[in-house]
Amino acid sequence: KAGVTQTPRYLIKTRGQQVTLSCSPISGHRSVSWYQQTPGQGLQFLFEYFSETQRNKGNFPGRFSGRQFSNSRSEMNVSTLELGDSALYLCASSLVPESTDTQYFGPGTRLTVL
Amino acid sequence: GENVEQHPSTLSVQEGDSAVIKCTYSDSASNYFPWYKQELGKRPQLIIDIRSNVGEKKDQRIAVTLNKTAKHFSLHITETQPEDSAVYFCAARRDSGGYQKVTFGTGTKLQVIP
C-alpha cells in the first residue's frame, strides 16, 4: 500500500505570492491533517479534514486555508506569502479522526519564501 | 489550549546506554500520546504510542510510560544504537466532540555516540 504523498516536494516563492500544496492520503484513509514545521516553532497543527469538512483548525491566520476532495485528497493554500511562512509543510493521514487511530506522515513540502 | 513541554532539547549518550525523554502536558482531556522519530531531512515516523487507559507500553528497546495524575509521559530507549540518532517529538492528542486536537513537544535531538 502506497504511503502518504505530497506534491511538490520543494517550492520557492516570493513574498506576496500564493501557493497551493497537495496531499494524497494512504488509500482508504479519510482524515487528513496538515502541520507546519519550523526550527523555531517546531511542529504546529494547521487543520484537519474529514469527509470534505474542516473539523479543526490551529492558531494560524486566515491566509492559511485548505480543502478536501471527495477522494480524500487534500490541498492547502497560503495566500499573501510572508518570509515567516518558509517551513516544511507536512500532511498526515489516518483512517478516521479518532484519537485511537494512528497518523502517518507524508514526506513534506519544503516551502521557501524569498 | 494544550501546552506540551519536552525535555531535554538535546541529549547525548554513549552507544549501549539508555536515553530518557520526558514530556508534560496541561490538558487533562488529552487521551492519546504518540512519539515520533524524525531523521534529518525525513518525515516524522511514529515509533510508539500510548493511550490514556494504559500506564506503560513496550516495544523491543522502546518503552513509554504515562502518569495521568501528574500529566507527564516519557520515552525510554534502552541499548541505544547510532541509528537511534534523530529528533524525537512527543505529542498529546484529545478528542473533542469528534474533533481531534494535537499539540507537539518542541523535540529532543538525540545523539548516540559510537
Side-chain angles (χ1 to χ4, degrees), chain A residues 63-76:
Chain A
R63 301 184 296 107
F64 291 81
S65 63
R67 59 178 174 168
Q68 186 179 35
F69 302 94
S70 58
N71 62 357
S72 296
R73 188 177 70 87
S74 178
E75 289 181 347
M76 68 162 280

Side-chain angles (χ1 to χ4, degrees), chain B residues 2-55:
Chain B
E2 173 71 281
N3 181 45
V4 176
E5 294 189 0
Q6 182 172 347
H7 300 281
S9 56
T10 59
L11 180 61
S12 291
V13 299
Q14 291 289 331
E15 181 178 358
D17 287 350
S18 295
V20 180
I21 303 170
K22 299 181 180 181
C23 288
T24 60
Y25 61 99
S26 60
D27 187 349
S28 57
S30 290
N31 53 5
Y32 176 64
F33 307 92
W35 285 90
Y36 294 91
K37 174 184 179 183
Q38 187 174 27
E39 295 176 63
L40 190 63
K42 295 187 177 180
R43 74 190 77 183
Q45 291 198 306
L46 180 74
I47 55 172
I48 196 167
D49 56 15
I50 192 166
R51 294 177 173 87
S52 58
N53 59 347
V54 176

Side-chain angles (χ1 to χ4, degrees), chain A residues 11-19 36 38 59-64 76-89 110-114:
Chain A
L11 204 50
I12 299 175
K13 292 285 188 179
T14 56
R15 287 170 55 189
Q17 287 187 308
Q18 75 165 22
V19 66
Q36 182 195 63
T38 61
N59 296 323
F60 279 82
R63 301 184 296 107
F64 291 81
M76 68 162 280
N77 184 76
V78 188
S79 62
T80 320
L81 285 166
E82 300 178 359
L83 296 179
D85 297 333
S86 294
L88 179 67
Y89 290 87
R110 185 163 295 282
L111 171 65
T112 302
V113 181
L114 303 176

Side-chain angles (χ1 to χ4, degrees), chain A residues 17-95:
Chain A
Q17 287 187 308
Q18 75 165 22
V19 66
T20 299
L21 312 180
S22 180
C23 172
S24 293
I26 291 171
S27 178
H29 284 195
R30 296 165 57 199
S31 174
V32 174
S33 297
W34 287 89
Y35 301 88
Q36 182 195 63
Q37 186 174 31
T38 61
Q41 299 296 320
L43 266 166
Q44 295 187 89
F45 173 71
L46 278 157
F47 27 63
E48 182 224 342
Y49 287 88
F50 176 69
S51 293
E52 303 176 63
T53 302
Q54 187 180 90
R55 306 275 289 186
N56 198 16
K57 193 175 192 302
N59 296 323
F60 279 82
R63 301 184 296 107
F64 291 81
S65 63
R67 59 178 174 168
Q68 186 179 35
F69 302 94
S70 58
N71 62 357
S72 296
R73 188 177 70 87
S74 178
E75 289 181 347
M76 68 162 280
N77 184 76
V78 188
S79 62
T80 320
L81 285 166
E82 300 178 359
L83 296 179
D85 297 333
S86 294
L88 179 67
Y89 290 87
L90 293 157
C91 78
S93 76
S94 57
L95 281 168

